[in-house]
Amino acid sequence: MATPLIQISGLEKAFSTNESWLGQWRLRQGKLARHKDSVHALNGVNLTINQGETLCVVGETGCGKSTLARVIMGLTPPSAGEIHYLDQRIDQLNNRQRMFFRRRMQMVFQNPYASLNPRMTVYQTLSEPISFHNPQLSQSSVDEKIDELLESVGISASSSDRYPHEFSGGQRQRISLARALSVEPDFIVADEPLSALDVSVQAQVLNLMMDKQEERNLSYLFITHDLAVVEHFATRVAVMYLGRICELSPTSTLFSSPKHPYTQALLSAIPRLDSNTAQPIRLIGEVPTPTEKPIGCVFQARCPYANQRCYESSPSMTLQSDGSSVACHAIEEGRL
Amino acid sequence: MKKRELAALIDVSFTLNRGERIAIVGESGAGKSILGFSIVNLISKPGYIESGSIKLENKELTTMNLRQLQEIRGKRIAMIFQDPMMTLNPVLTIGNQLVETIRSHTNISYKDARNIAIEKLHNVQISSPEKRFDQYPHELSGGMRQRVIIAAVLLLNPDIIIADEPTTALDVTIQAEILQLLLSICRDNGVALILISHDLGVVSKVAERTLVMYAGHIVEEGPTLEIINDPQHPYTQGLLNALPQMTIPGQRLNQIQGSMPSLAERPTGCAFHPRCPYATQKCKQEQPQFIYSGVSSVACFMIEDMLNEFADTDKEVL
């Protein structure tokens, strides 16, 4: 098999919640002790992304999916673990070394109202990355490229001197996509690119993303909470819970036979259009905030099948016969 | 209407029966929230109700003064908003807010009000309500906050609940629970519900009847399941077809071209005609009237023409 495009191993990220030195001192048993509190957003994530595929990451608020995207893009450094692009490690590069990879990897953000600079025209927004990464290009060839890009995302080239506020949400998200495509990347991380858009416009943007993928053999890491989009768009799906991946499957396998108890609950909760679907599986409680590094399975507190082993040791991903990988003791032991 | 004014709602009419659950569906900018707010006259300035009437039983709501409205708001018609953190006061405990609500509307002691509040918190399946009573909103999770809001809405036993995107800010698993709760509360207490949503999946779980809105107009109205199974208006069809689950995975989605016009650029005739695949010359000039298609009431010339054709052929057969 060819080398995967992106390989992530043992990725961890903790955010300190008491950054200031003074805030770290606590009185404990009559003594002052220094203690750092942190939120563990990622707790050992292993993932590979192959060339030309769409890997969707799903999960509820606070499970660390956006942090994953930002760490991969190098917007925030990981606390531990490695990220490889083809065969080069990229998580510890300085800005100058990273420049090459910034061209190869681009990001589309959730809110097109916030991610486009309101004071830059579309032309400026697109010409900046192009001429920065291709200083040898002449002005006229940059202009040509911008026109071509805009037309390719369905925005007329004549509107390139307009400002973001003159466009609708869907058009803005197309401009964001054009900006990401402007440096001709191989890999795009899209963090909830559709959630700020209406249904009919979502379809337009999703279609555009699929077209571009076919044209340029792009790989996507697509982060979303909308499972209907995932079912339609993904090659493989990673289900995240509390900073860990609990199931990683080819899309059709995941939707036809979800294995992890969390995946099952998540899928059953999608409000489907047909009326005679089963009652959603009710989970007890809500996603806890991971201020302590979890011991045992991350899902144990809400899992209906949890036993002593689940509280004590953390399950590792095991490959199942149908190509999916699940991290669950109950499945390993055949209890589920 | 004066020159520099924009109409957010145009000629909207509907009825709500006692204990009925209806949904108002549409994309952003369709006017669905304004419609919900208008009912209890919560429109902020410079907006105002230009004409039309809203009646609760036989009482006209649009001409009421503030004092009269306060008798209706909360007591007869209660609202749930999208973001529970915006609705709850962050510097008051949950209990204080609930008790305040009861005591501003009825003349009872703090102790009795507290008991009612705890009972309602219990009704919305909040664990250890006595403890929650003294907590602040930030100590609760999003789903829990929305439960508190539902409890607050129930305090005065209203006849109608207007829920404006009540689950949009929540995760799917929590959304499923809140919808289930809302549904059972409406059923058990015979409360009528107006659910405002953009999510047809959510609507299909809760509402008996659905109104589809586009650019300030209601374009289709009928029983929810029939509308979902057999949408009549081209916009409703487009909206349903655009859902990812309507297409085979990997295929291109069925998109509606263009986007909803802004209030200032509303096209003449049928507002949907620039995006409609079936638009004719007539659609560009005239505003279609509601007509019953056999499934739902639709404002569309195409449906009207089809029905007329059927009627003509029927006559010939006879």
mmCIF file of all heavy atoms in Angstrom, chain B residues 214-245:
data_model
loop_
_atom_site.group_PDB
_atom_site.id
_atom_site.type_symbol
_atom_site.label_atom_id
_atom_site.label_comp_id
_atom_site.label_asym_id
_atom_site.label_seq_id
_atom_site.Cartn_x
_atom_site.Cartn_y
_atom_site.Cartn_z
ATOM 1 N N TYR B 214 -41.171 30.861 2.642
ATOM 2 C CA TYR B 214 -40.113 31.312 1.744
ATOM 3 C C TYR B 214 -40.266 32.815 1.536
ATOM 4 O O TYR B 214 -41.329 33.267 1.100
ATOM 5 C CB TYR B 214 -40.191 30.571 0.402
ATOM 6 C CG TYR B 214 -39.054 30.925 -0.510
ATOM 7 C CD1 TYR B 214 -37.822 30.308 -0.352
ATOM 8 C CD2 TYR B 214 -39.188 31.889 -1.492
ATOM 9 C CE1 TYR B 214 -36.755 30.638 -1.164
ATOM 10 C CE2 TYR B 214 -38.115 32.229 -2.304
ATOM 11 C CZ TYR B 214 -36.896 31.591 -2.136
ATOM 12 O OH TYR B 214 -35.833 31.925 -2.931
ATOM 13 N N ALA B 215 -39.217 33.549 1.838
ATOM 14 C CA ALA B 215 -39.166 34.997 1.607
ATOM 15 C C ALA B 215 -40.422 35.721 2.103
ATOM 16 O O ALA B 215 -41.020 36.512 1.389
ATOM 17 C CB ALA B 215 -38.923 35.298 0.131
ATOM 18 N N GLY B 216 -40.832 35.419 3.328
ATOM 19 C CA GLY B 216 -41.934 36.150 3.925
ATOM 20 C C GLY B 216 -43.318 35.614 3.620
ATOM 21 O O GLY B 216 -44.308 36.118 4.152
ATOM 22 N N HIS B 217 -43.403 34.632 2.747
ATOM 23 C CA HIS B 217 -44.698 34.036 2.421
ATOM 24 C C HIS B 217 -44.762 32.618 2.954
ATOM 25 O O HIS B 217 -43.752 31.931 3.013
ATOM 26 C CB HIS B 217 -44.874 33.915 0.898
ATOM 27 C CG HIS B 217 -44.960 35.222 0.195
ATOM 28 N ND1 HIS B 217 -46.132 35.874 0.019
ATOM 29 C CD2 HIS B 217 -44.006 35.976 -0.390
ATOM 30 C CE1 HIS B 217 -45.905 36.995 -0.646
ATOM 31 N NE2 HIS B 217 -44.615 37.087 -0.898
ATOM 32 N N ILE B 218 -45.981 32.180 3.273
ATOM 33 C CA ILE B 218 -46.170 30.743 3.462
ATOM 34 C C ILE B 218 -46.403 30.175 2.069
ATOM 35 O O ILE B 218 -47.234 30.687 1.312
ATOM 36 C CB ILE B 218 -47.374 30.458 4.379
ATOM 37 C CG1 ILE B 218 -47.036 30.916 5.803
ATOM 38 C CG2 ILE B 218 -47.700 28.972 4.384
ATOM 39 C CD1 ILE B 218 -48.138 30.705 6.789
ATOM 40 N N VAL B 219 -45.643 29.166 1.672
ATOM 41 C CA VAL B 219 -45.813 28.624 0.331
ATOM 42 C C VAL B 219 -46.537 27.280 0.340
ATOM 43 O O VAL B 219 -47.099 26.873 -0.663
ATOM 44 C CB VAL B 219 -44.475 28.483 -0.419
ATOM 45 C CG1 VAL B 219 -43.868 29.848 -0.694
ATOM 46 C CG2 VAL B 219 -43.511 27.597 0.330
ATOM 47 N N GLU B 220 -46.497 26.595 1.477
ATOM 48 C CA GLU B 220 -47.183 25.308 1.532
ATOM 49 C C GLU B 220 -47.583 25.021 2.973
ATOM 50 O O GLU B 220 -46.867 25.355 3.905
ATOM 51 C CB GLU B 220 -46.268 24.189 1.012
ATOM 52 C CG GLU B 220 -46.951 22.832 0.969
ATOM 53 C CD GLU B 220 -46.233 21.816 0.077
ATOM 54 O OE1 GLU B 220 -45.227 22.172 -0.551
ATOM 55 O OE2 GLU B 220 -46.705 20.671 0.017
ATOM 56 N N GLU B 221 -48.744 24.416 3.116
ATOM 57 C CA GLU B 221 -49.214 24.080 4.446
ATOM 58 C C GLU B 221 -49.960 22.755 4.388
ATOM 59 O O GLU B 221 -50.816 22.564 3.526
ATOM 60 C CB GLU B 221 -50.168 25.169 4.945
ATOM 61 C CG GLU B 221 -50.708 24.869 6.312
ATOM 62 C CD GLU B 221 -51.933 25.697 6.674
ATOM 63 O OE1 GLU B 221 -52.168 26.740 6.030
ATOM 64 O OE2 GLU B 221 -52.644 25.276 7.578
ATOM 65 N N GLY B 222 -49.658 21.848 5.290
ATOM 66 C CA GLY B 222 -50.358 20.567 5.283
ATOM 67 C C GLY B 222 -49.837 19.649 6.372
ATOM 68 O O GLY B 222 -48.937 20.019 7.130
ATOM 69 N N PRO B 223 -50.384 18.433 6.469
ATOM 70 C CA PRO B 223 -49.905 17.475 7.459
ATOM 71 C C PRO B 223 -48.428 17.154 7.223
ATOM 72 O O PRO B 223 -48.018 16.957 6.073
ATOM 73 C CB PRO B 223 -50.764 16.226 7.199
ATOM 74 C CG PRO B 223 -51.930 16.714 6.433
ATOM 75 C CD PRO B 223 -51.493 17.899 5.664
ATOM 76 N N THR B 224 -47.652 17.115 8.313
ATOM 77 C CA THR B 224 -46.199 16.991 8.187
ATOM 78 C C THR B 224 -45.776 15.791 7.343
ATOM 79 O O THR B 224 -44.975 15.926 6.420
ATOM 80 C CB THR B 224 -45.568 16.866 9.590
ATOM 81 O OG1 THR B 224 -46.032 17.954 10.358
ATOM 82 C CG2 THR B 224 -44.070 16.894 9.530
ATOM 83 N N LEU B 225 -46.328 14.627 7.658
ATOM 84 C CA LEU B 225 -45.848 13.430 6.981
ATOM 85 C C LEU B 225 -46.172 13.465 5.499
ATOM 86 O O LEU B 225 -45.378 13.041 4.673
ATOM 87 C CB LEU B 225 -46.435 12.176 7.640
ATOM 88 C CG LEU B 225 -45.890 11.930 9.048
ATOM 89 C CD1 LEU B 225 -46.497 10.683 9.652
ATOM 90 C CD2 LEU B 225 -44.373 11.842 9.030
ATOM 91 N N GLU B 226 -47.349 14.007 5.170
ATOM 92 C CA GLU B 226 -47.718 14.071 3.759
ATOM 93 C C GLU B 226 -46.803 15.042 3.015
ATOM 94 O O GLU B 226 -46.423 14.783 1.875
ATOM 95 C CB GLU B 226 -49.170 14.516 3.620
ATOM 96 C CG GLU B 226 -50.061 13.823 4.629
ATOM 97 C CD GLU B 226 -51.263 13.158 4.022
ATOM 98 O OE1 GLU B 226 -51.837 13.750 3.107
ATOM 99 O OE2 GLU B 226 -51.605 12.057 4.480
ATOM 100 N N ILE B 227 -46.492 16.144 3.658
ATOM 101 C CA ILE B 227 -45.589 17.110 3.011
ATOM 102 C C ILE B 227 -44.220 16.486 2.788
ATOM 103 O O ILE B 227 -43.604 16.659 1.737
ATOM 104 C CB ILE B 227 -45.466 18.402 3.860
ATOM 105 C CG1 ILE B 227 -46.738 19.238 3.697
ATOM 106 C CG2 ILE B 227 -44.237 19.203 3.457
ATOM 107 C CD1 ILE B 227 -46.637 20.644 4.195
ATOM 108 N N ILE B 228 -43.757 15.713 3.759
ATOM 109 C CA ILE B 228 -42.430 15.113 3.610
ATOM 110 C C ILE B 228 -42.443 14.003 2.566
ATOM 111 O O ILE B 228 -41.524 13.865 1.760
ATOM 112 C CB ILE B 228 -41.923 14.616 4.978
ATOM 113 C CG1 ILE B 228 -41.443 15.832 5.777
ATOM 114 C CG2 ILE B 228 -40.806 13.607 4.823
ATOM 115 C CD1 ILE B 228 -41.154 15.558 7.206
ATOM 116 N N ASN B 229 -43.528 13.241 2.525
ATOM 117 C CA ASN B 229 -43.589 12.146 1.556
ATOM 118 C C ASN B 229 -43.939 12.621 0.155
ATOM 119 O O ASN B 229 -43.521 12.024 -0.828
ATOM 120 C CB ASN B 229 -44.613 11.104 1.998
ATOM 121 C CG ASN B 229 -44.137 10.366 3.231
ATOM 122 O OD1 ASN B 229 -42.937 10.217 3.421
ATOM 123 N ND2 ASN B 229 -45.063 9.950 4.072
ATOM 124 N N ASP B 230 -44.726 13.690 0.068
ATOM 125 C CA ASP B 230 -45.181 14.131 -1.236
ATOM 126 C C ASP B 230 -45.221 15.657 -1.287
ATOM 127 O O ASP B 230 -46.288 16.256 -1.311
ATOM 128 C CB ASP B 230 -46.586 13.532 -1.495
ATOM 129 C CG ASP B 230 -47.021 13.775 -2.930
ATOM 130 O OD1 ASP B 230 -46.191 14.226 -3.738
ATOM 131 O OD2 ASP B 230 -48.204 13.523 -3.220
ATOM 132 N N PRO B 231 -44.043 16.286 -1.279
ATOM 133 C CA PRO B 231 -44.022 17.749 -1.285
ATOM 134 C C PRO B 231 -44.597 18.285 -2.597
ATOM 135 O O PRO B 231 -44.329 17.722 -3.658
ATOM 136 C CB PRO B 231 -42.538 18.090 -1.159
ATOM 137 C CG PRO B 231 -41.814 16.884 -1.631
ATOM 138 C CD PRO B 231 -42.689 15.719 -1.314
ATOM 139 N N GLN B 232 -45.399 19.339 -2.504
ATOM 140 C CA GLN B 232 -46.056 19.866 -3.695
ATOM 141 C C GLN B 232 -45.329 21.069 -4.264
ATOM 142 O O GLN B 232 -45.037 21.128 -5.444
ATOM 143 C CB GLN B 232 -47.497 20.271 -3.347
ATOM 144 C CG GLN B 232 -48.316 19.138 -2.778
ATOM 145 C CD GLN B 232 -48.630 18.095 -3.831
ATOM 146 O OE1 GLN B 232 -49.155 18.405 -4.877
ATOM 147 N NE2 GLN B 232 -48.279 16.859 -3.551
ATOM 148 N N HIS B 233 -45.053 22.043 -3.419
ATOM 149 C CA HIS B 233 -44.429 23.265 -3.907
ATOM 150 C C HIS B 233 -42.989 22.979 -4.359
ATOM 151 O O HIS B 233 -42.274 22.246 -3.689
ATOM 152 C CB HIS B 233 -44.424 24.314 -2.797
ATOM 153 C CG HIS B 233 -44.166 25.707 -3.295
ATOM 154 N ND1 HIS B 233 -42.904 26.152 -3.590
ATOM 155 C CD2 HIS B 233 -45.001 26.725 -3.572
ATOM 156 C CE1 HIS B 233 -42.980 27.407 -4.018
ATOM 157 N NE2 HIS B 233 -44.253 27.775 -4.014
ATOM 158 N N PRO B 234 -42.559 23.558 -5.478
ATOM 159 C CA PRO B 234 -41.192 23.309 -5.958
ATOM 160 C C PRO B 234 -40.128 23.640 -4.914
ATOM 161 O O PRO B 234 -39.094 22.974 -4.850
ATOM 162 C CB PRO B 234 -41.059 24.240 -7.169
ATOM 163 C CG PRO B 234 -42.437 24.500 -7.612
ATOM 164 C CD PRO B 234 -43.329 24.397 -6.412
ATOM 165 N N TYR B 235 -40.399 24.645 -4.061
ATOM 166 C CA TYR B 235 -39.417 24.979 -3.030
ATOM 167 C C TYR B 235 -39.325 23.860 -1.996
ATOM 168 O O TYR B 235 -38.227 23.450 -1.609
ATOM 169 C CB TYR B 235 -39.778 26.299 -2.353
ATOM 170 C CG TYR B 235 -38.857 26.627 -1.203
ATOM 171 C CD1 TYR B 235 -37.502 26.858 -1.416
ATOM 172 C CD2 TYR B 235 -39.334 26.695 0.108
ATOM 173 C CE1 TYR B 235 -36.650 27.133 -0.376
ATOM 174 C CE2 TYR B 235 -38.480 26.974 1.160
ATOM 175 C CZ TYR B 235 -37.140 27.195 0.914
ATOM 176 O OH TYR B 235 -36.299 27.451 1.951
ATOM 177 N N THR B 236 -40.464 23.369 -1.543
ATOM 178 C CA THR B 236 -40.452 22.271 -0.576
ATOM 179 C C THR B 236 -39.765 21.053 -1.181
ATOM 180 O O THR B 236 -38.986 20.372 -0.515
ATOM 181 C CB THR B 236 -41.891 21.901 -0.168
ATOM 182 O OG1 THR B 236 -42.668 23.077 -0.081
ATOM 183 C CG2 THR B 236 -41.922 21.182 1.149
ATOM 184 N N GLN B 237 -40.063 20.789 -2.447
ATOM 185 C CA GLN B 237 -39.412 19.665 -3.128
ATOM 186 C C GLN B 237 -37.908 19.845 -3.133
ATOM 187 O O GLN B 237 -37.155 18.924 -2.800
ATOM 188 C CB GLN B 237 -39.913 19.567 -4.575
ATOM 189 C CG GLN B 237 -41.347 19.122 -4.688
ATOM 190 C CD GLN B 237 -41.853 19.151 -6.130
ATOM 191 O OE1 GLN B 237 -41.119 19.484 -7.051
ATOM 192 N NE2 GLN B 237 -43.112 18.797 -6.301
ATOM 193 N N GLY B 238 -37.479 21.069 -3.477
ATOM 194 C CA GLY B 238 -36.046 21.348 -3.534
ATOM 195 C C GLY B 238 -35.392 21.189 -2.183
ATOM 196 O O GLY B 238 -34.317 20.611 -2.058
ATOM 197 N N LEU B 239 -36.080 21.686 -1.165
ATOM 198 C CA LEU B 239 -35.553 21.634 0.198
ATOM 199 C C LEU B 239 -35.349 20.183 0.643
ATOM 200 O O LEU B 239 -34.333 19.823 1.216
ATOM 201 C CB LEU B 239 -36.562 22.320 1.114
ATOM 202 C CG LEU B 239 -36.070 22.979 2.387
ATOM 203 C CD1 LEU B 239 -34.979 23.977 2.082
ATOM 204 C CD2 LEU B 239 -37.234 23.668 3.085
ATOM 205 N N LEU B 240 -36.339 19.343 0.343
ATOM 206 C CA LEU B 240 -36.245 17.942 0.744
ATOM 207 C C LEU B 240 -35.208 17.206 -0.093
ATOM 208 O O LEU B 240 -34.454 16.391 0.424
ATOM 209 C CB LEU B 240 -37.614 17.267 0.595
ATOM 210 C CG LEU B 240 -38.543 17.512 1.776
ATOM 211 C CD1 LEU B 240 -39.979 17.289 1.378
ATOM 212 C CD2 LEU B 240 -38.167 16.616 2.935
ATOM 213 N N ASN B 241 -35.187 17.514 -1.387
ATOM 214 C CA ASN B 241 -34.241 16.811 -2.253
ATOM 215 C C ASN B 241 -32.804 17.189 -1.968
ATOM 216 O O ASN B 241 -31.892 16.445 -2.284
ATOM 217 C CB ASN B 241 -34.554 17.102 -3.723
ATOM 218 C CG ASN B 241 -35.709 16.273 -4.199
ATOM 219 O OD1 ASN B 241 -35.931 15.174 -3.714
ATOM 220 N ND2 ASN B 241 -36.465 16.806 -5.141
ATOM 221 N N ALA B 242 -32.611 18.379 -1.385
ATOM 222 C CA ALA B 242 -31.246 18.826 -1.110
ATOM 223 C C ALA B 242 -30.645 18.093 0.076
ATOM 224 O O ALA B 242 -29.436 18.149 0.280
ATOM 225 C CB ALA B 242 -31.222 20.329 -0.852
ATOM 226 N N LEU B 243 -31.453 17.396 0.856
ATOM 227 C CA LEU B 243 -30.923 16.683 2.017
ATOM 228 C C LEU B 243 -30.016 15.547 1.551
ATOM 229 O O LEU B 243 -30.355 14.837 0.600
ATOM 230 C CB LEU B 243 -32.059 16.114 2.863
ATOM 231 C CG LEU B 243 -32.956 17.138 3.543
ATOM 232 C CD1 LEU B 243 -34.095 16.445 4.262
ATOM 233 C CD2 LEU B 243 -32.160 17.978 4.517
ATOM 234 N N PRO B 244 -28.862 15.376 2.223
ATOM 235 C CA PRO B 244 -27.926 14.341 1.779
ATOM 236 C C PRO B 244 -28.558 12.938 1.737
ATOM 237 O O PRO B 244 -28.213 12.138 0.878
ATOM 238 C CB PRO B 244 -26.813 14.396 2.819
ATOM 239 C CG PRO B 244 -26.889 15.757 3.385
ATOM 240 C CD PRO B 244 -28.328 16.150 3.336
ATOM 241 N N GLN B 245 -29.502 12.655 2.652
ATOM 242 C CA GLN B 245 -30.050 11.298 2.676
ATOM 243 C C GLN B 245 -30.954 10.996 1.494
ATOM 244 O O GLN B 245 -31.388 9.876 1.303
ATOM 245 C CB GLN B 245 -30.770 11.003 4.002
ATOM 246 C CG GLN B 245 -31.823 11.984 4.408
ATOM 247 C CD GLN B 245 -31.277 13.011 5.398
ATOM 248 O OE1 GLN B 245 -30.216 13.568 5.183
ATOM 249 N NE2 GLN B 245 -31.993 13.272 6.472
#
